């Protein structure tokens, strides 16, 4: 589990020594031995951290757990690899960006371009079993991602946190709103998006906040994939 980007490993690597994380490691190993298919693939489990080192983070978009369909999850919340159709929640994210910033949705669902600009695409739970949403909930990941948010809160200034849905908003208790921007909304899922996510204006609000604090805005226009 310690295949973590260096700046993050220095901040949160010690968390993996905790008994609950050791138990999580054992659980994942046993589930694989029992034939369970776990997403994302092991090398991509910590992809969010690889793309957005600790000191480069500007925005945190918090998801719940990885997509559980074959070929979808690749370690970035809401993102899918090139060639995989954007899932419904991501399609709604694109709709809101188009409404908010007049940006035409791309023909793909890969969000690495955002991640490489300092958007930490973080799921609260970093693994899931094929076809079983929330199957690794309450196994230990939540404490680790709490620690990630707490480290950002304590040691960075003027970050933007996008917390969509009640599950993500639980981490709001860890964030000092006098030092960071916290944007909340319902989840972009088709079940809730039209009850407040569409119209939330989070993407323009994030850029206004970043610019007001001397930081470059995020380019939310995803380039076409080659």
């Amino acid at each position: 589990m310690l295949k973590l980007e260096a700046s993050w490993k220095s901040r949160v690597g010690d968390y993996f020594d905790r008994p609950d994380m050791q138990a999580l490691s054992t659980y994942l190993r046993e589930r694989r031995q029992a034939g369970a298919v776990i997403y994302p693939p092991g090398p991509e489990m910590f992809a969010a951290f690889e793309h957005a080192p600790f000191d480069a983070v500007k925005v945190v978009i918090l998801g719940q757990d990885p997509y559980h369909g074959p070929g979808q999850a690749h370690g970035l919340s809401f993102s899918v690899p090139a060639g995989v159709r954007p899932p419904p929640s991501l399609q709604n994210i694109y709709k809101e960006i188009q409404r908010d910033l007049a940006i035409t949705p791309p023909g793909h669902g890969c969000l690495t371009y955002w991640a490489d600009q300092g958007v930490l695409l973080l799921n609260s739970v970093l693994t899931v079993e094929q076809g079983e949403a929330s199957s690794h909930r309450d196994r230990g990941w939540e404490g680790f991602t709490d620690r990630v948010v707490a480290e950002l809160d304590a040691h960075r200034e003027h970050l933007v946190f996008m917390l969509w849905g009640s599950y993500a908003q639980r981490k709001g208790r860890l964030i000092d709103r006098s030092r960071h921007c916290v944007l909340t909304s319902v989840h972009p899922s088709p079940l809730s998006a039209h009850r407040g996510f569409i119209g939330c204006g989070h993407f323009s609000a994030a850029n206004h906040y970043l610019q007001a604090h001397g930081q470059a805005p995020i380019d939310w226009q995803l380039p076409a994939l080659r």
Side-chain angles (χ1 to χ4, degrees):
M1 282 192 179
L2 285 178
K3 293 180 180 177
L4 197 58
E5 189 275 335
S7 67
W8 282 105
K9 188 172 182 179
S10 68
R11 294 282 181 179
V12 301
D14 63 310
Y15 197 88
F16 290 98
D17 296 330
R18 290 170 50 103
D20 53 336
M21 294 304 287
Q22 295 294 315
L24 172 61
S25 180
T26 299
Y27 174 76
L28 293 175
R29 184 170 60 251
E30 289 175 346
R31 292 300 299 141
R32 289 191 180 97
Q33 290 171 349
V37 177
I38 295 176
Y39 299 133
E44 296 180 331
M45 192 181 297
F46 298 110
F49 305 99
E50 292 292 334
H51 286 275
F54 185 83
D55 291 325
V57 174
K58 295 180 178 180
V59 176
V60 180
I61 297 180
L62 193 65
Q64 296 185 11
D65 60 349
Y67 295 123
H68 54 81
Q72 291 182 310
H74 66 144
L76 305 176
S77 64
F78 296 104
S79 181
V80 291
V84 177
R85 187 173 187 270
S89 292
L90 181 53
Q91 292 180 36
N92 285 329
I93 291 170
Y94 288 164
K95 287 178 184 177
E96 173 54 18
I97 292 175
Q98 184 170 29
R99 187 210 63 81
D100 189 18
L101 296 170
I103 289 174
T104 302
H108 63 85
C110 184
L111 306 182
T112 55
Y113 181 68
W114 294 355
D116 290 336
Q117 296 178 73
V119 180
L120 182 65
L121 296 167
L122 179 67
N123 281 313
S124 292
V125 175
L126 298 189
T127 56
V128 71
E129 292 183 24
Q130 180 175 300
E132 297 184 38
S134 302
S135 48
H136 289 179
R137 190 171 178 172
D138 297 327
R139 288 288 177 177
W141 282 125
E142 292 90 345
F144 171 69
T145 52
D146 278 359
R147 171 70 179 276
V148 168
V149 172
E151 287 290 319
L152 288 167
D153 172 74
H155 300 291
R156 295 292 312 282
E157 297 283 341
H158 307 310
L159 301 181
V160 178
F161 292 85
M162 297 184 185
L163 307 181
W164 301 333
S166 58
Y167 193 74
Q169 288 168 23
R170 293 176 192 172
K171 292 202 189 304
R173 74 189 190 282
L174 304 168
I175 304 165
D176 181 350
R177 286 166 167 77
S178 71
R179 295 173 46 246
H180 303 288
C181 175
V182 179
L183 304 173
T184 62
S185 170
V186 297
H187 195 274
S189 159
L191 298 175
S192 56
H194 293 281
R195 290 191 284 108
F197 181 79
I198 303 298
C200 69
H202 283 185
F203 301 94
S204 60
N207 279 351
H208 291 154
Y209 181 85
L210 291 172
Q211 290 176 297
H213 292 90
Q215 300 184 72
I218 301 299
D219 179 8
W220 298 108
Q221 175 71 72
L222 291 163
L225 296 178
R226 296 178 181 178

